[in-house]
Amino acid sequence: MATFISVPLKKSSEVDLVKPLSKFVTSAYPAGEEQSEYLRAVEELNKLRKSALGRPLDKHESSLEILLRYYDQLCSVEPKFPFPELCLTFTWKDAFDKGSLFGGSVKLALASLGYEKTCVLFNVGALASQIASEQNLDNDEGLKAAAKFYQLASGAFAHIKDTVLSALNREPTMDISPETVGTLSQIMLSQAQEVFVLKATADKMKDAVIAKLANQAADFYGDAFKQCQYKENLPKYFYFQEVLPVLAAKHCMMQATAELHQSALANQKKRFGEEIARLQHATELVKTVASRYDEYVNVKDLSDKISRALTAAKKDNDFIYHDRVPEVKDLEHIGKATLVKATAIQVPLSQKFTDLFEKMVPMEVQQSLSMASSRRNEMVNRLVGSLREATNLCNGVLASLNLPAALEDLSGDSVPGSILEKSRAVIQQGGLQSIEQLIKELPELLQRNREILDESLKMLDDEETTDNELRAKFSQRWNRTPSGDLYKPLRAEGGNFRSVLDKAVQADQVVRDRYNSHCEMIALLCKPENELCSAIPSANPAKTLQGSEVVNVLKAQLAQLDEIKRDREVLEGEIKSVTFDMTAKFLTALAQDGAINEEALSTTELDARYGTHTQRVQQNLRAQEDLLAQVQTSHQEFAALKQSNAEANDREEMLKKLASAHDSYIEISSNLKEGTKFYNDLTEILLKFQNKCSDIVFARKTERDELLKELQQSIAREPSAPSFSVPAYQSNTSEPAAGGPTPAPRTVFPLQPQAKAQPPARPPPPSFTPQAASSNITPSPAPASQAPPSLPASSNPPPMAPPTAPSQAQGPPYPTYQGYPGYYQMPMAYNPYAYGYNMPYVHYQGAGQAGYPGAPPAQQPYPYPQQPPQQQPFYPQQ
């Protein structure tokens, strides 16, 4: 019946997905089989994009299947990668704007996966429309396929209309703007309804059904025509200028089809006058199409069918029925029936889709897992910290009481066994040398982390400075997101890292001060037993206390404390080894509710996993507290029985310091090892932060170069000089006649050469063969009496105004110069101002002199031809 409308595909620039996605995979997942699987999936995704967008696509379902698979994969991979942080920039050209000779086609580059999805979905709709337009509508299978693909195209464009603004967060190009894709969706729906009209006609369905289907199709086409016509930006596209007449023609043709079948229904109901009125209306509609849109659609078959039906109806009515023919406005409205609906875009669109990253959890789950892990670490650290704090408290109390050394030192002249054991432990762990080495390494590790952080933030500062300079230079034309706004999360993250480093420096100083206060006693513990014994003051023996009840009670209480400490170490190991995996619960919550309440789920699971351990920790702490109170009471009794003198006090004070030095050594060594591990772990984190900063700065630089290129092209398209007003006497120049220019008439005065002085000699014009007047001028031969004697009458006479020239305002008479050797038109190379002027000449001339040219058209900046200057003219010539 008529030509169907298809939509051209958008074109994309090549994008490397492998490097940024692989970098994220290697940083987020440990080396192993899982990481290798994800890296292979990244390669497959990159190949899929090249297949879908990197080559011309055939108008076949197999090509559409590739596009659908790529779109499904984008939807699947979107929640699993942090695309805003990866800064992948996708560049797409406008599907309808073919550009200009100098400017190139319009394109937009955005670091947004939503933009990529939108453009791919546009190509899904465009390719579906092309495949539908290629179907053979003479068979049932072709009709069904065409209807299916037109509805898919309509659904794709409608989905873009609803989501494009939220997906891009900025103004899109015109081809994917809500107005454009809304119009395209309506056009595709109209064509799908028309296909059902054709199918109903081929299936020879009832006239009432076909009439309703055709009337609905006419309404759809009418709506599409209005959307094209009244959207201010759409008609600027050449595409829509070609589509508008097709839509108007289809609207009329569908309405005529509806009237044709409704007339058949009227005939069946014996309403012969209504039949004729509807056929006459249909005839007017097809005549309108034939007269206005004949070059776009072929309406001959429909016109002939209506004409035959109208002739037969009139003949029967005139000779048999004599029924009154009503006015068209009085006819009953034809009903409508819709059989088409825009296909809803629900992932997956492809029936053959297989998720390449099926095992990878979404980013929301990954973030929730990270937060849950932080909660778990916080609880573990709190429980373990309380246990270690209790151990330090116990050691401090015993050291202050000189226990158990006081019970072992009843002889008063030998080193207690507990002190010897502590000495051996310190020597075994490396003594002072190991601690001094660890303390020496800390500043180097700190400086390395600071340098990485400073370099990362410097990259952001340099790029932001460049962006601000260009924004100040180009003002509103520099329409990309300001770097300061884009870098806020990264700067906040960098500020957190700097705060962490500052706190680490303070912690390092605390450890160093503690070491300085105990290093003398730690050094004493590192000496051999004989030197250690000589360093400890001797005291009078207290053998009378050996075997006393108080001593036995204290020893039993100290043994209980040792048992509590051992239980505490076992409990600490159990707390650290508890498994805590929330992946399954988070995935279930995301699938059921569409969101994850991480705090509630994590808190519930932590209570279930660590509830018993928390109770055991509290019991252990209470048992130690009670036992320490008993030890202190027993020690008071022991001290009262023990003989007290100055030597004994000095000895006891030394043993206390040695015991405290051992405990401090263990704690300082542990703190330094933890600090070294902290700095090394922080280095890896800061390197990832540096890579993130480097990636976003590189992406911004690429985006900056693209925007600068577009701005340069737009500046090149702008006019090089401001507009200026044209003198009034130039604006009234008459239009040239069809046969040549029409010069303005001038007043002719008799020549009086004897009254004029001879002008100074002019240099002869360049040597060239005199030509006829310019092709833009139609010369008339001059009278022989006015030609100079040395020139024949036919040698380049001045142009003459035709006698029928329209009346114009008379110009002033121009003076003449006697003896001028005749007028020759300057060659183009000699007078650049004379090129393409198409200007008339006056018919006033003297003996041997050509007339001066008249006023040029209003658009030219120079009213008269002049001698060419030595330098190039300022304004460009036509």
Side-chain angles (χ1 to χ4, degrees), residues 779-802:
S780 300
S785 60
Q786 295 183 4
S790 60
L791 293 174
S794 60
S795 62
N796 195 21
M800 300 292 292

Side-chain angles (χ1 to χ4, degrees), residues 17 21 24 29 41-42 45 48 69-88 90 110-121 159 163-169 345 347 353 355-358 360-367 590:
L17 301 177
L21 296 186
F24 170 77
Y29 296 92
V42 168
L45 178 61
L48 183 59
R69 280 176 51 210
Y70 180 55
Y71 180 79
D72 290 338
Q73 191 61 69
L74 288 179
C75 294
S76 173
V77 83
E78 183 177 20
K80 299 179 180 180
F81 285 87
F83 282 96
E85 299 176 10
L86 297 178
C87 296
L88 265 171
F90 301 98
L110 286 181
S112 165
L113 190 71
Y115 177 53
E116 173 86 345
K117 286 170 54 183
T118 298
C119 295
V120 172
L121 190 59
H159 186 78
T163 60
V164 62
L165 295 181
S166 60
L168 271 61
N169 292 323
I345 302 302
V347 178
F353 171 66
D355 189 2
L356 297 173
F357 300 88
E358 184 177 5
M360 182 182 287
V361 296
M363 281 301 299
E364 186 174 355
V365 175
Q366 293 182 33
Q367 293 169 357
L590 185 62

Side-chain angles (χ1 to χ4, degrees), residues 858-869:
Q859 291 80 7
Q860 300 299 333
Y862 295 100
Y864 309 109
Q866 305 172 9
Q867 192 74 8

Side-chain angles (χ1 to χ4, degrees), residues 766-784:
S767 176
F768 66 98
T769 304
Q771 303 293 331
S774 173
S775 59
N776 294 329
I777 303 173
T778 305
S780 300

Side-chain angles (χ1 to χ4, degrees), residues 734 741-745 799-802 805-806 808 840-843:
S734 61
T742 304
M800 300 292 292
Q808 289 189 356
Y841 290 86
V842 297
H843 63 277

